[in-house]
Amino acid sequence: MDSELSVVLVIRLLFFNFLLLWQLGNGAKVNNGTTNIKANGDNTTIGALTDAEARTLRLLFKSLQSRNTTQFPLSYPICSTNMDAEIRCSCDNTKNRSACWVTAINLASKMLDGLIHSSISLFKNLRVLDLSSNFLTGSIPPSLTTLQSLRILNLADNNLDGTIPLNLSGLQSLRYLDLSRNKLTGPIPDSISDCQYLNIIILRLNFLNGTIPEALGTLSSLNILDLYSNSLSGHIPVELGELTVLQFLNLDDNNLDGELPEELGNLVDLQHLYLTANKFTGRIPETFDKLIHLETFAVGGNYLSGQMPSYIGNWVNLTKLILIGNNFEGNLPAETFSLPKLQRLLVSDVSNPGISFPKREVIPESLIYLVLRNCKINGSIPEYIGKWPELSYLDLSFNNLSGGVPESFQKLNKLFLTSNELTKLPSWITKKPKPSSYPKADLSYNNFNVKCTNEKCSGLAAVNILPTRSFIDNMKTEKCYRKHNSLFINCGGEELNVGKDHYHNDTSTSSFNLSPSDDWAYSFSGDYLWATVNASTLGEDHSITGKRVFDVYIQGRLVKKDLNIKEIPELQNEVRKLKFPAKINEGSLEIKLFWAGKGSLYNPPGINGPLIEAISVTRVSRKLHRWEIALITIGCLLFLMLLLAFSLRMGWIGGRKLRSGH
């Protein structure tokens, strides 16, 4: 009997070991650390999970990773009352060996690449679920919305797709919701308004569409609403003006339109307002004068018009003022340059009478970035700008500035003065010191008296002084001595042949490049305002949410305003194409791609959608006007009549009898 019992025990032990190894091989840990709960600060067992929660925890571990990955590391013990535990539990201490339950799951940045199993809804006491910064796929299980105790839900930085569950009313205790940087589509559910305790909503960098729910205006505790970079459309609901404790509102990079609601002026606690890269029209409301706590006011890349409000000069807490890429008119309030905390001031495309610098010397204490592009600025550049203590980035391109470049600009890190009427270079360039002793400068398309030889041009191009207008004229008259019927350029690519067409190499990364064949060249000016942002942190898949918008000029004439490549109709089995007719003037063709401040402002250039793949210039037969066709027809008829008369006269046509009658 004893021997039989021993055999049974051995078999059971072997079976248990096999089961244990099988569970481990499938990504779950099954040991006392799973079900037994350790006290905070020691190794004493104070309770155990219920069987239901223990099974659910094992199933969760298994589903969160695919079969191709190894087991993710977890601290021991797995379930603990420690506040820093990855799986945190609570226990009923009224009994010895009391029952316990899972209250927090913190598995951020664990390289998880599986799914979120629907059984997660069985953790009825779960307060925190953080699975952010992993590689999870699939959809958000609707059953998750039944977790009535859940306060923090963070699924950001994954590859989740599908829609946000429509019924969020079960999340009655939710305070924090972050679903950003996924692939979620569809609308924002109206039921989000049932989560009345929400303080923070972050849904940025998804593919959400539809309109912004009016019901969001009922979330009276909301402090942060971040919907940046989606595909939301329609107007801003006036109900958002009821979020009186809101401090951060980001609606950047959507497809929103209409006028800015006056009701947003009721958000008196608002500190950051981002509305760039949309399609807003009209004026900035006068009610915004109450937003005295603003630190960021960003409305760039829209179609706003009218005067820039005078009350901007009263926003003494302002650090960023971004008005670039609109249709404003007139001057900036003089007080703007004296705002004590202002670090970034970006304005462009201002109509008459344009912007002028203060006549009296002003010294902004904190200004780092100053961009005033295409603002109708006339006259010379004030020398005092170079004395501003923190200024490192200055862009005054596309104005009517004349005279010389101030000597004091040598201390800047970046300087852009392209397309003005400047005539005098500073001594720190003309004396030819080492390039490291002066800023990265783009002074191209001015009237500097620079005699251009191949050797000198290449040197000056390296410091972005060229091309000058004289060089462009020189190239038109002297370089393009060969006549061509066509030109094909493989933008950003190597030389190649496509059928009978030979595409030129375009792999140079310099700001100015003359082709080896001397028959075409390119130049670019300017800089990326936020190029330091790491594209990899945002993900390449989000490139389709960014907007690359620019104007196209051919031979100095605007032929396409606000071109967005991804909005070009795409025919089946064909790439997107745009065709423009052009007349060749004196043997030269000039194409300009001009960024007027529209589209995405903050993204690195690589994630703003598709680029131009190729440029082809081909000769086509000109269509004749009606009067030309009529004139040619009449000429042909007259010619035929004359030919017939001459033939009759010479006797080349007609019968013998007719000729003998004469």
mmCIF file of all heavy atoms in Angstrom, residues 258-298:
data_model
loop_
_atom_site.group_PDB
_atom_site.id
_atom_site.type_symbol
_atom_site.label_atom_id
_atom_site.label_comp_id
_atom_site.label_asym_id
_atom_site.label_seq_id
_atom_site.Cartn_x
_atom_site.Cartn_y
_atom_site.Cartn_z
ATOM 1 N N GLY A 258 -14.434 76.745 -39.353
ATOM 2 C CA GLY A 258 -15.321 77.715 -38.726
ATOM 3 C C GLY A 258 -14.566 78.759 -37.925
ATOM 4 O O GLY A 258 -13.334 78.801 -37.918
ATOM 5 N N GLU A 259 -15.307 79.612 -37.261
ATOM 6 C CA GLU A 259 -14.711 80.668 -36.445
ATOM 7 C C GLU A 259 -14.423 80.166 -35.034
ATOM 8 O O GLU A 259 -15.043 79.214 -34.552
ATOM 9 C CB GLU A 259 -15.639 81.877 -36.402
ATOM 10 C CG GLU A 259 -15.862 82.518 -37.769
ATOM 11 C CD GLU A 259 -16.634 83.821 -37.665
ATOM 12 O OE1 GLU A 259 -17.063 84.185 -36.550
ATOM 13 O OE2 GLU A 259 -16.799 84.478 -38.705
ATOM 14 N N LEU A 260 -13.470 80.807 -34.378
ATOM 15 C CA LEU A 260 -13.148 80.450 -32.991
ATOM 16 C C LEU A 260 -14.286 80.914 -32.095
ATOM 17 O O LEU A 260 -14.679 82.084 -32.139
ATOM 18 C CB LEU A 260 -11.832 81.104 -32.560
ATOM 19 C CG LEU A 260 -10.603 80.768 -33.404
ATOM 20 C CD1 LEU A 260 -9.370 81.471 -32.841
ATOM 21 C CD2 LEU A 260 -10.369 79.269 -33.467
ATOM 22 N N PRO A 261 -14.857 80.025 -31.266
ATOM 23 C CA PRO A 261 -15.992 80.412 -30.422
ATOM 24 C C PRO A 261 -15.614 81.478 -29.395
ATOM 25 O O PRO A 261 -14.570 81.370 -28.740
ATOM 26 C CB PRO A 261 -16.382 79.101 -29.730
ATOM 27 C CG PRO A 261 -15.734 78.022 -30.509
ATOM 28 C CD PRO A 261 -14.494 78.605 -31.098
ATOM 29 N N GLU A 262 -16.453 82.474 -29.256
ATOM 30 C CA GLU A 262 -16.235 83.482 -28.220
ATOM 31 C C GLU A 262 -16.256 82.858 -26.834
ATOM 32 O O GLU A 262 -15.620 83.360 -25.900
ATOM 33 C CB GLU A 262 -17.300 84.559 -28.322
ATOM 34 C CG GLU A 262 -17.236 85.386 -29.597
ATOM 35 C CD GLU A 262 -18.285 86.478 -29.612
ATOM 36 O OE1 GLU A 262 -19.128 86.499 -28.683
ATOM 37 O OE2 GLU A 262 -18.260 87.305 -30.538
ATOM 38 N N GLU A 263 -16.995 81.741 -26.696
ATOM 39 C CA GLU A 263 -17.140 81.097 -25.389
ATOM 40 C C GLU A 263 -15.820 80.588 -24.825
ATOM 41 O O GLU A 263 -15.698 80.386 -23.606
ATOM 42 C CB GLU A 263 -18.140 79.929 -25.500
ATOM 43 C CG GLU A 263 -19.583 80.343 -25.662
ATOM 44 C CD GLU A 263 -19.926 80.781 -27.078
ATOM 45 O OE1 GLU A 263 -19.032 80.700 -27.963
ATOM 46 O OE2 GLU A 263 -21.072 81.178 -27.317
ATOM 47 N N LEU A 264 -14.816 80.360 -25.693
ATOM 48 C CA LEU A 264 -13.514 79.924 -25.175
ATOM 49 C C LEU A 264 -12.886 81.000 -24.290
ATOM 50 O O LEU A 264 -11.983 80.704 -23.500
ATOM 51 C CB LEU A 264 -12.569 79.577 -26.328
ATOM 52 C CG LEU A 264 -12.928 78.361 -27.186
ATOM 53 C CD1 LEU A 264 -11.835 78.097 -28.210
ATOM 54 C CD2 LEU A 264 -13.147 77.115 -26.323
ATOM 55 N N GLY A 265 -13.356 82.225 -24.410
ATOM 56 C CA GLY A 265 -12.873 83.287 -23.536
ATOM 57 C C GLY A 265 -13.282 83.108 -22.090
ATOM 58 O O GLY A 265 -12.759 83.800 -21.202
ATOM 59 N N ASN A 266 -14.217 82.165 -21.827
ATOM 60 C CA ASN A 266 -14.627 81.882 -20.444
ATOM 61 C C ASN A 266 -13.647 80.971 -19.714
ATOM 62 O O ASN A 266 -13.782 80.769 -18.499
ATOM 63 C CB ASN A 266 -16.014 81.225 -20.437
ATOM 64 C CG ASN A 266 -17.080 82.128 -21.014
ATOM 65 O OD1 ASN A 266 -17.012 83.350 -20.878
ATOM 66 N ND2 ASN A 266 -18.082 81.542 -21.655
ATOM 67 N N LEU A 267 -12.678 80.420 -20.440
ATOM 68 C CA LEU A 267 -11.723 79.488 -19.830
ATOM 69 C C LEU A 267 -10.619 80.290 -19.138
ATOM 70 O O LEU A 267 -9.458 80.283 -19.553
ATOM 71 C CB LEU A 267 -11.156 78.558 -20.896
ATOM 72 C CG LEU A 267 -12.178 77.797 -21.745
ATOM 73 C CD1 LEU A 267 -11.489 76.932 -22.796
ATOM 74 C CD2 LEU A 267 -13.067 76.924 -20.856
ATOM 75 N N VAL A 268 -10.978 80.936 -18.061
ATOM 76 C CA VAL A 268 -10.071 81.909 -17.438
ATOM 77 C C VAL A 268 -8.860 81.259 -16.774
ATOM 78 O O VAL A 268 -7.886 81.957 -16.462
ATOM 79 C CB VAL A 268 -10.839 82.764 -16.409
ATOM 80 C CG1 VAL A 268 -11.863 83.647 -17.114
ATOM 81 C CG2 VAL A 268 -11.529 81.884 -15.364
ATOM 82 N N ASP A 269 -8.906 79.937 -16.548
ATOM 83 C CA ASP A 269 -7.751 79.239 -15.975
ATOM 84 C C ASP A 269 -6.837 78.658 -17.048
ATOM 85 O O ASP A 269 -5.808 78.042 -16.729
ATOM 86 C CB ASP A 269 -8.211 78.103 -15.053
ATOM 87 C CG ASP A 269 -8.786 78.625 -13.744
ATOM 88 O OD1 ASP A 269 -8.471 79.773 -13.380
ATOM 89 O OD2 ASP A 269 -9.556 77.890 -13.096
ATOM 90 N N LEU A 270 -7.185 78.846 -18.316
ATOM 91 C CA LEU A 270 -6.439 78.232 -19.410
ATOM 92 C C LEU A 270 -5.008 78.772 -19.466
ATOM 93 O O LEU A 270 -4.786 79.979 -19.447
ATOM 94 C CB LEU A 270 -7.148 78.497 -20.738
ATOM 95 C CG LEU A 270 -6.763 77.596 -21.912
ATOM 96 C CD1 LEU A 270 -7.133 76.148 -21.620
ATOM 97 C CD2 LEU A 270 -7.448 78.063 -23.191
ATOM 98 N N GLN A 271 -4.060 77.833 -19.567
ATOM 99 C CA GLN A 271 -2.649 78.200 -19.644
ATOM 100 C C GLN A 271 -2.037 77.903 -21.014
ATOM 101 O O GLN A 271 -1.104 78.596 -21.434
ATOM 102 C CB GLN A 271 -1.863 77.455 -18.563
ATOM 103 C CG GLN A 271 -2.292 77.808 -17.146
ATOM 104 C CD GLN A 271 -1.568 76.974 -16.106
ATOM 105 O OE1 GLN A 271 -0.574 76.311 -16.391
ATOM 106 N NE2 GLN A 271 -2.077 76.988 -14.877
ATOM 107 N N HIS A 272 -2.574 76.880 -21.708
ATOM 108 C CA HIS A 272 -2.012 76.496 -22.999
ATOM 109 C C HIS A 272 -3.155 76.256 -23.983
ATOM 110 O O HIS A 272 -4.014 75.404 -23.741
ATOM 111 C CB HIS A 272 -1.159 75.233 -22.866
ATOM 112 C CG HIS A 272 -0.043 75.362 -21.876
ATOM 113 N ND1 HIS A 272 1.178 75.927 -22.195
ATOM 114 C CD2 HIS A 272 0.031 75.018 -20.561
ATOM 115 C CE1 HIS A 272 1.955 75.907 -21.130
ATOM 116 N NE2 HIS A 272 1.282 75.374 -20.117
ATOM 117 N N LEU A 273 -3.143 76.984 -25.099
ATOM 118 C CA LEU A 273 -4.167 76.853 -26.126
ATOM 119 C C LEU A 273 -3.480 76.617 -27.466
ATOM 120 O O LEU A 273 -2.798 77.495 -28.000
ATOM 121 C CB LEU A 273 -5.038 78.110 -26.189
ATOM 122 C CG LEU A 273 -6.131 78.127 -27.259
ATOM 123 C CD1 LEU A 273 -7.083 76.946 -27.075
ATOM 124 C CD2 LEU A 273 -6.896 79.436 -27.233
ATOM 125 N N TYR A 274 -3.649 75.403 -28.014
ATOM 126 C CA TYR A 274 -3.048 75.012 -29.286
ATOM 127 C C TYR A 274 -4.157 74.756 -30.309
ATOM 128 O O TYR A 274 -4.973 73.841 -30.132
ATOM 129 C CB TYR A 274 -2.222 73.733 -29.126
ATOM 130 C CG TYR A 274 -0.995 73.864 -28.271
ATOM 131 C CD1 TYR A 274 -1.043 73.612 -26.903
ATOM 132 C CD2 TYR A 274 0.225 74.225 -28.833
ATOM 133 C CE1 TYR A 274 0.103 73.720 -26.108
ATOM 134 C CE2 TYR A 274 1.371 74.328 -28.057
ATOM 135 C CZ TYR A 274 1.300 74.075 -26.693
ATOM 136 O OH TYR A 274 2.428 74.181 -25.918
ATOM 137 N N LEU A 275 -4.167 75.541 -31.386
ATOM 138 C CA LEU A 275 -5.185 75.414 -32.431
ATOM 139 C C LEU A 275 -4.560 75.414 -33.825
ATOM 140 O O LEU A 275 -5.247 75.679 -34.813
ATOM 141 C CB LEU A 275 -6.200 76.564 -32.320
ATOM 142 C CG LEU A 275 -6.930 76.721 -30.979
ATOM 143 C CD1 LEU A 275 -7.754 77.997 -30.975
ATOM 144 C CD2 LEU A 275 -7.825 75.516 -30.719
ATOM 145 N N THR A 276 -3.280 75.127 -33.955
ATOM 146 C CA THR A 276 -2.588 75.256 -35.238
ATOM 147 C C THR A 276 -2.991 74.168 -36.231
ATOM 148 O O THR A 276 -3.553 73.130 -35.863
ATOM 149 C CB THR A 276 -1.060 75.196 -35.049
ATOM 150 O OG1 THR A 276 -0.700 73.886 -34.589
ATOM 151 C CG2 THR A 276 -0.587 76.214 -34.040
ATOM 152 N N ALA A 277 -2.668 74.430 -37.512
ATOM 153 C CA ALA A 277 -2.826 73.458 -38.604
ATOM 154 C C ALA A 277 -4.252 72.948 -38.720
ATOM 155 O O ALA A 277 -4.502 71.745 -38.812
ATOM 156 C CB ALA A 277 -1.839 72.294 -38.431
ATOM 157 N N ASN A 278 -5.203 73.859 -38.714
ATOM 158 C CA ASN A 278 -6.593 73.548 -38.986
ATOM 159 C C ASN A 278 -7.078 74.461 -40.109
ATOM 160 O O ASN A 278 -6.271 74.922 -40.926
ATOM 161 C CB ASN A 278 -7.441 73.699 -37.723
ATOM 162 C CG ASN A 278 -7.272 72.529 -36.770
ATOM 163 O OD1 ASN A 278 -7.790 71.439 -37.003
ATOM 164 N ND2 ASN A 278 -6.541 72.747 -35.676
ATOM 165 N N LYS A 279 -8.359 74.753 -40.158
ATOM 166 C CA LYS A 279 -8.916 75.597 -41.217
ATOM 167 C C LYS A 279 -9.806 76.691 -40.635
ATOM 168 O O LYS A 279 -10.827 77.054 -41.211
ATOM 169 C CB LYS A 279 -9.706 74.734 -42.209
ATOM 170 C CG LYS A 279 -8.881 73.649 -42.875
ATOM 171 C CD LYS A 279 -9.726 72.758 -43.772
ATOM 172 C CE LYS A 279 -8.885 71.641 -44.387
ATOM 173 N NZ LYS A 279 -9.708 70.730 -45.236
ATOM 174 N N PHE A 280 -9.402 77.216 -39.493
ATOM 175 C CA PHE A 280 -10.211 78.235 -38.828
ATOM 176 C C PHE A 280 -10.172 79.537 -39.620
ATOM 177 O O PHE A 280 -9.147 79.916 -40.204
ATOM 178 C CB PHE A 280 -9.702 78.473 -37.404
ATOM 179 C CG PHE A 280 -9.850 77.272 -36.509
ATOM 180 C CD1 PHE A 280 -8.746 76.716 -35.868
ATOM 181 C CD2 PHE A 280 -11.087 76.693 -36.304
ATOM 182 C CE1 PHE A 280 -8.878 75.616 -35.045
ATOM 183 C CE2 PHE A 280 -11.234 75.580 -35.482
ATOM 184 C CZ PHE A 280 -10.129 75.049 -34.858
ATOM 185 N N THR A 281 -11.292 80.236 -39.610
ATOM 186 C CA THR A 281 -11.420 81.512 -40.308
ATOM 187 C C THR A 281 -11.908 82.582 -39.332
ATOM 188 O O THR A 281 -12.180 82.309 -38.162
ATOM 189 C CB THR A 281 -12.405 81.391 -41.475
ATOM 190 O OG1 THR A 281 -13.678 80.916 -40.972
ATOM 191 C CG2 THR A 281 -11.900 80.414 -42.522
ATOM 192 N N GLY A 282 -12.035 83.807 -39.846
ATOM 193 C CA GLY A 282 -12.529 84.903 -39.024
ATOM 194 C C GLY A 282 -11.448 85.539 -38.171
ATOM 195 O O GLY A 282 -10.253 85.326 -38.372
ATOM 196 N N ARG A 283 -11.883 86.310 -37.203
ATOM 197 C CA ARG A 283 -10.968 87.048 -36.328
ATOM 198 C C ARG A 283 -10.782 86.336 -34.994
ATOM 199 O O ARG A 283 -11.588 85.487 -34.610
ATOM 200 C CB ARG A 283 -11.521 88.459 -36.072
ATOM 201 C CG ARG A 283 -11.615 89.313 -37.330
ATOM 202 C CD ARG A 283 -12.368 90.608 -37.054
ATOM 203 N NE ARG A 283 -12.379 91.467 -38.238
ATOM 204 C CZ ARG A 283 -11.536 92.454 -38.455
ATOM 205 N NH1 ARG A 283 -10.601 92.731 -37.551
ATOM 206 N NH2 ARG A 283 -11.605 93.175 -39.551
ATOM 207 N N ILE A 284 -9.721 86.703 -34.308
ATOM 208 C CA ILE A 284 -9.536 86.228 -32.930
ATOM 209 C C ILE A 284 -10.527 86.979 -32.050
ATOM 210 O O ILE A 284 -10.545 88.209 -32.040
ATOM 211 C CB ILE A 284 -8.098 86.480 -32.452
ATOM 212 C CG1 ILE A 284 -7.106 85.715 -33.339
ATOM 213 C CG2 ILE A 284 -7.930 86.044 -30.997
ATOM 214 C CD1 ILE A 284 -5.655 85.968 -32.998
ATOM 215 N N PRO A 285 -11.397 86.274 -31.315
ATOM 216 C CA PRO A 285 -12.461 86.941 -30.550
ATOM 217 C C PRO A 285 -11.915 87.915 -29.504
ATOM 218 O O PRO A 285 -10.863 87.680 -28.894
ATOM 219 C CB PRO A 285 -13.199 85.776 -29.881
ATOM 220 C CG PRO A 285 -12.885 84.584 -30.722
ATOM 221 C CD PRO A 285 -11.490 84.801 -31.225
ATOM 222 N N GLU A 286 -12.668 88.983 -29.295
ATOM 223 C CA GLU A 286 -12.300 89.968 -28.277
ATOM 224 C C GLU A 286 -12.392 89.387 -26.875
ATOM 225 O O GLU A 286 -11.732 89.860 -25.951
ATOM 226 C CB GLU A 286 -13.206 91.202 -28.401
ATOM 227 C CG GLU A 286 -12.931 92.055 -29.624
ATOM 228 C CD GLU A 286 -11.526 92.641 -29.608
ATOM 229 O OE1 GLU A 286 -11.048 93.018 -28.513
ATOM 230 O OE2 GLU A 286 -10.898 92.713 -30.679
ATOM 231 N N THR A 287 -13.228 88.332 -26.703
ATOM 232 C CA THR A 287 -13.374 87.723 -25.378
ATOM 233 C C THR A 287 -12.101 87.055 -24.892
ATOM 234 O O THR A 287 -11.966 86.763 -23.702
ATOM 235 C CB THR A 287 -14.503 86.681 -25.394
ATOM 236 O OG1 THR A 287 -14.231 85.705 -26.408
ATOM 237 C CG2 THR A 287 -15.848 87.345 -25.690
ATOM 238 N N PHE A 288 -11.162 86.819 -25.806
ATOM 239 C CA PHE A 288 -9.912 86.175 -25.406
ATOM 240 C C PHE A 288 -9.054 87.089 -24.531
ATOM 241 O O PHE A 288 -8.036 86.642 -23.989
ATOM 242 C CB PHE A 288 -9.116 85.741 -26.633
ATOM 243 C CG PHE A 288 -9.625 84.478 -27.287
ATOM 244 C CD1 PHE A 288 -10.917 84.035 -27.066
ATOM 245 C CD2 PHE A 288 -8.811 83.729 -28.128
ATOM 246 C CE1 PHE A 288 -11.401 82.882 -27.672
ATOM 247 C CE2 PHE A 288 -9.267 82.569 -28.740
ATOM 248 C CZ PHE A 288 -10.571 82.149 -28.510
ATOM 249 N N ASP A 289 -9.455 88.336 -24.404
ATOM 250 C CA ASP A 289 -8.677 89.240 -23.551
ATOM 251 C C ASP A 289 -8.719 88.814 -22.092
ATOM 252 O O ASP A 289 -7.893 89.254 -21.282
ATOM 253 C CB ASP A 289 -9.165 90.684 -23.706
ATOM 254 C CG ASP A 289 -10.580 90.883 -23.175
ATOM 255 O OD1 ASP A 289 -11.323 89.883 -23.053
ATOM 256 O OD2 ASP A 289 -10.946 92.038 -22.899
ATOM 257 N N LYS A 290 -9.675 87.928 -21.731
ATOM 258 C CA LYS A 290 -9.780 87.445 -20.346
ATOM 259 C C LYS A 290 -8.820 86.293 -20.054
ATOM 260 O O LYS A 290 -8.695 85.869 -18.891
ATOM 261 C CB LYS A 290 -11.218 86.987 -20.073
ATOM 262 C CG LYS A 290 -12.248 88.113 -20.147
ATOM 263 C CD LYS A 290 -13.653 87.629 -19.853
ATOM 264 C CE LYS A 290 -14.206 86.759 -20.948
ATOM 265 N NZ LYS A 290 -15.626 86.379 -20.730
ATOM 266 N N LEU A 291 -8.143 85.791 -21.066
ATOM 267 C CA LEU A 291 -7.245 84.651 -20.888
ATOM 268 C C LEU A 291 -5.876 85.129 -20.404
ATOM 269 O O LEU A 291 -4.843 84.907 -21.041
ATOM 270 C CB LEU A 291 -7.123 83.874 -22.199
ATOM 271 C CG LEU A 291 -8.434 83.389 -22.826
ATOM 272 C CD1 LEU A 291 -8.173 82.659 -24.141
ATOM 273 C CD2 LEU A 291 -9.184 82.476 -21.861
ATOM 274 N N ILE A 292 -5.869 85.747 -19.257
ATOM 275 C CA ILE A 292 -4.663 86.419 -18.768
ATOM 276 C C ILE A 292 -3.616 85.449 -18.221
ATOM 277 O O ILE A 292 -2.481 85.853 -17.959
ATOM 278 C CB ILE A 292 -5.012 87.456 -17.686
ATOM 279 C CG1 ILE A 292 -5.730 86.780 -16.521
ATOM 280 C CG2 ILE A 292 -5.870 88.568 -18.275
ATOM 281 C CD1 ILE A 292 -6.007 87.721 -15.358
ATOM 282 N N HIS A 293 -3.986 84.165 -18.064
ATOM 283 C CA HIS A 293 -3.020 83.182 -17.555
ATOM 284 C C HIS A 293 -2.343 82.407 -18.675
ATOM 285 O O HIS A 293 -1.555 81.483 -18.391
ATOM 286 C CB HIS A 293 -3.711 82.202 -16.606
ATOM 287 C CG HIS A 293 -4.264 82.840 -15.368
ATOM 288 N ND1 HIS A 293 -3.477 83.400 -14.394
ATOM 289 C CD2 HIS A 293 -5.548 83.021 -14.957
ATOM 290 C CE1 HIS A 293 -4.226 83.890 -13.431
ATOM 291 N NE2 HIS A 293 -5.492 83.685 -13.753
ATOM 292 N N LEU A 294 -2.605 82.776 -19.920
ATOM 293 C CA LEU A 294 -2.046 82.029 -21.040
ATOM 294 C C LEU A 294 -0.519 82.058 -21.033
ATOM 295 O O LEU A 294 0.094 83.109 -20.886
ATOM 296 C CB LEU A 294 -2.545 82.596 -22.367
ATOM 297 C CG LEU A 294 -3.896 82.102 -22.890
ATOM 298 C CD1 LEU A 294 -4.219 82.769 -24.209
ATOM 299 C CD2 LEU A 294 -3.907 80.582 -23.059
ATOM 300 N N GLU A 295 0.056 80.874 -21.224
ATOM 301 C CA GLU A 295 1.493 80.740 -21.444
ATOM 302 C C GLU A 295 1.792 80.392 -22.900
ATOM 303 O O GLU A 295 2.861 80.732 -23.408
ATOM 304 C CB GLU A 295 2.063 79.663 -20.513
ATOM 305 C CG GLU A 295 1.896 79.991 -19.034
ATOM 306 C CD GLU A 295 2.398 78.885 -18.137
ATOM 307 O OE1 GLU A 295 3.204 78.042 -18.625
ATOM 308 O OE2 GLU A 295 1.995 78.825 -16.963
ATOM 309 N N THR A 296 0.849 79.706 -23.549
ATOM 310 C CA THR A 296 0.985 79.357 -24.964
ATOM 311 C C THR A 296 -0.274 79.761 -25.704
ATOM 312 O O THR A 296 -1.378 79.388 -25.300
ATOM 313 C CB THR A 296 1.203 77.844 -25.143
ATOM 314 O OG1 THR A 296 2.357 77.433 -24.428
ATOM 315 C CG2 THR A 296 1.364 77.500 -26.616
ATOM 316 N N PHE A 297 -0.108 80.520 -26.786
ATOM 317 C CA PHE A 297 -1.218 80.848 -27.679
ATOM 318 C C PHE A 297 -0.742 80.543 -29.092
ATOM 319 O O PHE A 297 0.062 81.269 -29.664
ATOM 320 C CB PHE A 297 -1.624 82.311 -27.555
ATOM 321 C CG PHE A 297 -2.825 82.673 -28.401
ATOM 322 C CD1 PHE A 297 -4.079 82.175 -28.090
ATOM 323 C CD2 PHE A 297 -2.695 83.495 -29.507
ATOM 324 C CE1 PHE A 297 -5.190 82.498 -28.857
ATOM 325 C CE2 PHE A 297 -3.791 83.828 -30.286
ATOM 326 C CZ PHE A 297 -5.045 83.323 -29.956
ATOM 327 N N ALA A 298 -1.220 79.410 -29.649
ATOM 328 C CA ALA A 298 -0.739 78.927 -30.942
ATOM 329 C C ALA A 298 -1.918 78.743 -31.882
ATOM 330 O O ALA A 298 -2.738 77.839 -31.689
ATOM 331 C CB ALA A 298 0.009 77.603 -30.764
#
